Amino acid sequence: MRGQAARTPYPATAPALFAAAALFLSGCTGPGGGGSGWTAAPEAPPASEAAGEDPGATATSSPSATSPGTADPSAGPQPAATASAWKTYSAPDKSVSFELPEEWIVQSVSTAKGTLAGALALEVKKPDGTFMAALRTGLPPSSATCSEAAKREYTVLSSVPAGNLAAGTVAGTIPPRVVFRVIKGYRYFGSYGITNVVAGTDGRACELRNTVRGPAAKGDYSFGDVPVLRAFAADEKVAPAKAFNTLAEAGEYAAESEDFANVQRMLMSLEIED
């Protein structure tokens, strides 16, 4: 759903050489021209968010300054995206578009059972096949029961507005945000994505959803590494979610990772037509 915020202009750059062109969908256009100095600027949260009712109040890169389920409003901007050249992917029906680094690949995959007619399922990868994110639209609404005993502490390490998406109009939602959050299990499990779903007001949750609830006619959509983050068991596969030994280690990833900086810009650029 297209919001009111205009796309940030980026200076033109020379197109990068692209050896894997055959793997791209035809919807990818030429480089959007982002330079290496792009940074997501934090902005003041709405009152409801500052009260702890959203996935994170504002951008933060210092886990020592956060408490579970909160973000430090005094923290600085997010790391600059490092890809020197960017392009824009547009779905064939123009219903979805987003920017991505010039060398990254967009592939169409099978939609999940129960999705609405016209739903999209896309995966974004590096040229070497490394999975970065998946975009899925037309998802049916979902919910899960959660006992108090099953809840785990979670921390918001990064949260910035998804400026190209309209504010949520579904009851109980907030304006969409691009977040990176961790939940505590036998390790700290982390995940990035877009959400307008409130995780909890007490710093504890059973799961953290990288899902935006949309109108019934359009369904929900998800753009991130995993649709749902939870505390994994020791014998479960964690990837493509992240696992860290300490909260400080997770904070370093959010503050310093080139991959996260590029992914964050990509997620923030998402536009979905009404």
Side-chain angles (χ1 to χ4, degrees), residues 8-273:
T8 304
Y10 305 105
T13 61
L17 292 178
F18 179 48
L23 295 177
F24 277 86
L25 296 180
S26 59
C28 287
T29 60
S36 60
W38 180 90
T39 294
E43 72 177 39
S48 61
E49 298 177 21
E53 297 175 1
D54 83 318
T58 188
T60 179
S61 59
S62 174
S64 61
T66 63
S67 59
T70 66
D72 179 12
S74 64
Q78 295 302 291
T82 58
S84 60
W86 291 70
K87 62 185 176 186
T88 299
Y89 168 83
S90 294
D93 62 359
K94 308 301 181 184
S95 61
V96 168
S97 67
F98 57 89
E99 297 177 349
L100 69 161
E102 173 67 21
E103 295 185 349
W104 289 11
I105 299 165
V106 180
Q107 295 177 315
S108 179
V109 295
S110 299
T111 56
K113 184 178 180 180
T115 54
L116 301 180
L120 291 176
L122 306 170
E123 290 187 351
V124 181
K125 299 179 179 179
K126 289 184 174 181
D128 63 3
T130 301
F131 173 87
M132 299 307 297
L135 171 64
R136 296 183 182 274
T137 67
L139 301 175
S142 61
S143 61
T145 58
C146 179
S147 67
E148 190 64 31
K151 290 183 178 181
R152 300 290 182 267
E153 291 184 357
Y154 73 91
T155 303
V156 181
L157 294 179
S158 175
S159 178
V160 294
N164 293 322
L165 298 176
T169 57
V170 180
T173 61
I174 59 169
R177 300 184 72 86
V178 176
V179 297
F180 178 71
R181 300 172 290 184
V182 296
I183 191 166
K184 186 177 181 181
Y186 74 92
R187 298 180 72 185
Y188 289 89
F189 300 103
S191 176
Y192 51 72
I194 299 177
T195 188
N196 70 344
V197 179
V198 176
T201 59
D202 58 355
R204 293 168 57 83
C206 286
E207 59 185 27
L208 307 175
R209 292 179 173 267
N210 295 322
T211 304
V212 175
R213 289 178 179 163
K218 293 288 186 177
D220 297 351
Y221 59 91
S222 175
F223 197 16
D225 51 6
V226 294
V228 178
L229 176 68
R230 56 186 173 80
F232 295 92
D235 59 348
E236 287 185 289
K237 178 183 176 181
V238 174
K242 311 292 184 290
F244 306 95
N245 292 319
T246 65
L247 190 59
E249 184 181 307
E252 289 175 2
Y253 171 82
E256 301 174 8
S257 168
E258 296 178 359
D259 279 351
F260 176 69
N262 287 328
V263 163
Q264 185 187 59
R265 171 174 166 176
M266 179 179 71
L267 299 182
M268 289 178 67
S269 72
L270 177 66
E271 295 187 11
I272 296 183
E273 294 287 353

